[in-house]
Amino acid sequence: MFGPAIGLAERYAALLAGPAVEQGLIGPRETARLWDRHLLNCAAVAELIPNRGLVIDLGSGAGLPGIVLAMLLPGAEVVLLEPLARRASFLDESVRQLGLGNARVCRGRAEDQAGQLAGDVVTARAVAPLDRLAGLALGLTRPGGLVLAIKGAGAPQEVERARPVLDRLGARDVAVVHAGSGRVSPPPTIVRFTAGATADSGPGRRRRRNAPPVAGQQAPGGERS
């Protein structure tokens, strides 16, 4: 799954099992299943993303899947978008220690970055229910760009509940897909859809699209609980 990036993946696993647990970003019980439940699960998603363009990992947390994608897609630029200070600090340190020149951390809320960041692909894992996540993700996606929401076995039901919101936001080609079949068991379940060309896709969408990306911005009002 990781190929030549296996050394980076092992170093990242050590960061997750150590500092991430100490800082409360990963539960202690997760350390025994970092590879099968987290790292391999996220690595499988890379097969759905071109090795180029701008990838935005929405609500990056401890960097899953954003840091994994940066390892496996060296031709892409990966923005780790995270509003909480302690998580953003861990991401900054992880990017530095791993030497990921194609990744950078943007501290901020998706609502505030809409119209400032416009990704070719937006990823999200364990961020919000799909009916809320759709607006946040589409606000960060260029017209015709791709949203990949990593979900669980209930993804088809979640899509049906979110269908009115997806239709209103102009999401196209909505599908539930799997990645890494035959290599990861079980393969991750992903809700995939495309941003419409002209839809008002979420908060702040009508703001300037071509504004330069904002790096290291502090979230308004400081860290949220």
Side-chain angles (χ1 to χ4, degrees):
M1 291 294 292
F2 282 93
I6 185 60
L8 285 175
E10 290 172 340
R11 288 162 58 193
Y12 179 45
L15 290 171
L16 292 175
V21 171
E22 294 164 6
Q23 297 171 34
L25 307 185
I26 295 285
R29 294 182 180 179
E30 296 302 306
T31 58
R33 48 188 182 180
L34 280 176
W35 286 95
D36 57 350
R37 182 168 182 175
H38 298 289
L39 293 169
L40 292 173
N41 185 276
C42 291
V45 179
E47 71 181 39
L48 303 178
I49 303 175
N51 189 17
R52 63 181 185 276
L54 177 62
V55 179
I56 300 172
D57 187 28
L58 168 59
S60 195
L64 299 163
I67 286 182
V68 173
L69 296 177
M71 295 176 191
L72 296 176
L73 302 170
E77 178 187 2
V78 180
V79 172
L80 309 170
L81 180 59
E82 171 55 49
L84 298 184
R86 62 191 173 90
R87 295 177 181 175
S89 177
F90 173 81
L91 292 171
D92 270 323
E93 184 62 17
S94 296
V95 168
R96 186 189 67 80
Q97 289 200 30
L98 298 172
L100 295 174
N102 64 329
R104 62 186 177 86
V105 180
C106 176
R107 187 183 168 204
R109 299 166 66 243
E111 298 92 330
D112 298 327
Q113 294 302 318
Q116 305 297 317
L117 291 172
D120 299 288
V121 178
V122 173
T123 61
R125 184 176 189 253
V127 171
L130 188 60
D131 55 358
R132 179 169 178 267
L133 176 63
L136 298 175
L138 287 170
L140 298 167
T141 311
R142 67 164 179 79
L146 190 65
V147 175
L148 299 173
I150 305 172
K151 293 290 185 178
Q157 293 76 23
E158 198 168 347
V159 168
E160 288 309 307
R161 290 193 297 270
R163 183 69 67 175
V165 174
L166 293 166
D167 291 344
R168 175 172 57 80
L169 295 175
R172 298 184 288 107
D173 306 320
V174 182
V176 177
V177 300
H178 294 91
S181 296
R183 296 188 296 162
V184 180
S185 181
T189 302
I190 299 157
V191 178
R192 181 179 65 190
F193 53 94
T194 304
T198 58
D200 176 20
S201 302
R205 189 52 150 177
R206 293 189 177 92
R207 285 188 260 169
R208 291 187 300 131
R209 276 191 180 279
N210 296 322
V214 179
Q217 175 176 323
Q218 180 171 340
E223 179 170 344
R224 296 183 299 175
S225 60

